[in-house]
Amino acid sequence: MTIDDPTGTQRRGLLLIHTGAGKGKTTAALGTAMRAAGNGMRVLVLQFLKGSWHYGELDAAERFGGDLVIRQMGRGFVKVGGAETDPEDLRMVQTAWDDAVAAMHSGEWDLLVLDEINYAIGYGMLDPALVAAALEARPPMLHVILTGRNAHALLVELADTVTEMREVKHAYTKGILAQRGIEF
Ligand code: ATP
Ligand code: MG
């Protein structure tokens, strides 16, 4: 509590991470996106690597009329690991990252979700030190959520709130395929 912030509720931008092997990382980010949009905030979701599936949230976001925008920046399946990495996938990750940095400094958004960015980092397609430096240099009021398994230690260190989804059970292990409205 300070003289400028008598209620102790001064607004500040948070860095959140949703990681872990359990389901719910992206959908929790989308839930937060909806909460923010409901507060009149403008939300941009950039989805690293995704692009082959048409997720329900893409159409749901359209209904928010520009205050909640989701962009798929990949093409789905990615071959990973050293020489296996397709240069086209690397190029798409680079474009997604360039867009993320531009979005941070555009003043257009209150919340930026970098969905599946942890996978791009984990696959060696994006330098975690570069990401950490850009996040530290972002405008102080901007909220950012990073999602994906195996969040890098540098980013976990930097984050304010980190949630690890733990898998207790997943229908997939019983052979049940992805269900519309739940998985996509
Ligand atoms: P969701 O988008 O449902 O919140 P997520 O973001 O936590 O899932 P990702 O690692 O991004 O999970 O996985 C993408 C897809 O794989 C989603 O369709 C998700 O439902 C599914 N999935 C998530 N966790 C598991 C799991 N433990 N086993 C199998 N499939 C999973
Ligand atoms: Mg996800």
Side-chain angles (χ1 to χ4, degrees):
M1 215 185 289
T2 68
I3 197 146
D4 292 320
D5 183 34
T7 59
T9 56
Q10 190 177 37
R11 206 176 87 65
R12 48 158 298 178
L14 295 177
L15 176 62
L16 302 95
I17 298 181
H18 302 166
T19 192
K23 174 174 163 61
K25 299 173 289 294
T26 294
T27 46
L30 293 171
T32 310
M34 200 179 86
R35 173 176 285 173
N39 277 287
M41 296 162 76
R42 297 151 308 163
V43 184
L44 177 64
V45 181
L46 294 177
Q47 299 190 308
F48 285 72
L49 309 176
K50 282 179 174 168
S52 54
W53 282 34
H54 190 84
Y55 291 82
E57 54 263 36
L58 296 169
D59 299 319
E62 299 273 323
R63 301 185 194 179
F64 286 78
D67 290 332
L68 172 51
V69 174
I70 304 180
R71 292 193 198 126
Q72 292 192 316
M73 303 300 295
R75 54 177 183 167
F77 185 73
V78 187
K79 268 196 194 165
V80 288
E84 285 278 291
T85 306
D86 188 324
E88 178 63 8
D89 289 320
L90 272 179
R91 198 193 56 74
M92 293 180 101
V93 165
Q94 188 57 51
T95 301
W97 175 244
D98 291 345
D99 284 9
V101 173
M104 282 182 212
H105 296 285
S106 68
E108 280 183 65
W109 311 104
D110 301 297
L111 167 62
L112 177 63
V113 178
L114 304 179
D115 188 33
E116 319 301 355
I117 190 172
N118 292 339
Y119 291 97
I121 294 167
Y123 295 160
M125 302 168 88
L126 190 58
D127 177 4
L130 191 80
V131 174
L135 288 168
E136 281 188 293
R138 77 187 191 278
M141 291 308 203
L142 181 69
H143 299 296
V144 178
I145 305 178
L146 313 177
T147 85
R149 294 182 192 202
N150 303 314
H152 194 279
L154 257 184
L155 300 172
V156 169
E157 172 69 27
L158 192 62
D160 300 291
T161 299
V162 179
T163 302
E164 183 169 349
M165 308 300 177
R166 184 172 68 87
E167 183 181 316
V168 175
K169 272 184 166 186
H170 196 292
Y172 181 79
T173 58
K174 281 200 285 190
I176 301 171
L177 297 180
Q179 298 297 305
R180 178 179 300 278
I182 301 296
E183 254 81 43
F184 63 94

